[in-house]
Amino acid sequence: MKTAIVTDSTVYLPTEELKQHNIHVVPINVHFNHATFEEELTLSVEQFYGIVHTTKQFPKTSQPSIGKFVELYERLGKEYDEILAIHISSGVSGTYECSLQAAQLVDNVKVYVFDSEVAAGPLASYVIEASKLVENGASAPQIIERLKDLQKTLEAYFIVDDLIHLQRSGRLSVASSVIGSLLQIKPILHIKDKKIAVFEKVRTKRKAVLRVRDLLQQAVETYGELQAVIMHANCEQQGRTWMEKLQTTFPTVHFKLAYFGPSLVTHMGEGTLAISWMKK
């Protein structure tokens, strides 16, 4: 049984790692006025910031077309017996739904579609885990069961500098955005019911970071050994410093540093810091 692993560009894995694990990526679209780019393919994160900083344009995003998925699935069907597609949360993007519809249009291969309910670092953790299971001979249904087990232990928290981006893109309620802007609150956000929601409201970024550390402490006490990802939006040094401090405090947690690419920065804004963890 040969199983192909497919994901979308919000996985933000290095090209070398994608090739190493034979992971196929469908890009999300990023739009600047009349120009459309494919994330991580025709628009790198460096190019994205270059456009944003020089033009001050506010970009938009859109999910890949169903046809893009159909084309990939039919091509992979010539070589593989089944396909497992793992995608960004269906609560924040239509990518999962497009992939699901495409799977129903392909008849030369069985396609399984899994809603990660997250994006970026934790999505990458799922995808890498799936690829390793494929290498060990696991089938798509077996991999999905494993991912569902990991999903039960997953937690993800976000600290954004400005809520206006989430409010403008419809990813967070207007009320939450106004409260945060007026009172200079730095809310801790998380994923609830597949969508971005306010977890707790704190007054400063420092207090938010300390609160998240307490939540990580609780997870360590529950699960012992964890795998975690620190993510940043064009504030790598802040992310690296945070990761090093946490690594010293929590030696049983295995950390990785990752970044938010164009489509997610569009909604969260620069300066965002985030962390996710799950049982190792």
Side-chain angles (χ1 to χ4, degrees), residues 3-175:
T3 305
I5 299 296
V6 171
T7 187
D8 56 74
S9 56
T10 64
V11 73
Y12 304 130
L13 283 169
T15 302
E16 300 74 19
E17 198 163 358
L18 293 173
K19 290 181 178 178
Q20 176 188 350
H21 295 286
N22 198 26
I23 297 164
H24 306 270
V25 178
V26 178
I28 286 177
N29 302 309
V30 180
H31 310 276
F32 285 97
N33 285 341
H34 302 296
T36 298
F37 301 91
E38 293 184 313
E39 182 178 42
E40 299 279 271
L41 190 61
T42 61
L43 181 69
S44 68
V45 67
E46 292 81 12
Q47 291 170 325
F48 170 81
Y49 286 124
I51 297 173
V52 170
H53 293 164
T54 57
T55 68
K56 305 301 180 182
Q57 292 182 39
F58 186 78
K60 296 180 180 180
T61 64
S62 65
Q63 65 264 21
S65 68
I66 295 175
K68 181 81 72 173
F69 281 110
V70 170
E71 180 183 354
L72 175 61
Y73 293 160
E74 288 182 339
R75 176 164 57 83
L76 292 176
K78 298 176 182 178
E79 182 181 354
Y80 294 89
D81 302 304
E82 61 178 13
I83 298 169
L84 173 57
I86 308 170
H87 292 299
I88 181 176
S89 174
S90 61
V92 299
S93 171
T95 302
Y96 167 83
E97 186 61 33
C98 285
S99 181
L100 197 61
Q101 291 181 42
Q104 297 167 354
L105 297 174
V106 177
D107 56 16
N108 68 330
V109 65
K110 174 64 176 177
V111 183
Y112 299 84
V113 186
F114 181 76
D115 185 352
S116 74
E117 303 185 9
V118 287
L123 171 60
S125 297
Y126 285 142
V127 170
I128 293 298
E129 178 71 11
S131 67
K132 291 179 178 179
L133 290 170
V134 165
E135 293 164 7
N136 289 328
S139 66
Q142 291 172 326
I143 296 170
I144 289 173
E145 287 306 308
R146 169 61 176 160
L147 297 184
K148 286 181 178 179
D149 286 340
L150 288 174
Q151 221 166 23
K152 297 173 185 176
T153 71
L154 174 70
E155 293 182 64
Y157 299 96
F158 309 82
I159 306 168
V160 300
D161 264 359
D162 191 342
L163 291 175
I164 189 63
H165 299 287
L166 283 164
Q167 183 269 318
R168 187 183 298 168
S169 64
R171 266 62 178 187
L172 196 67
S173 73
V174 175

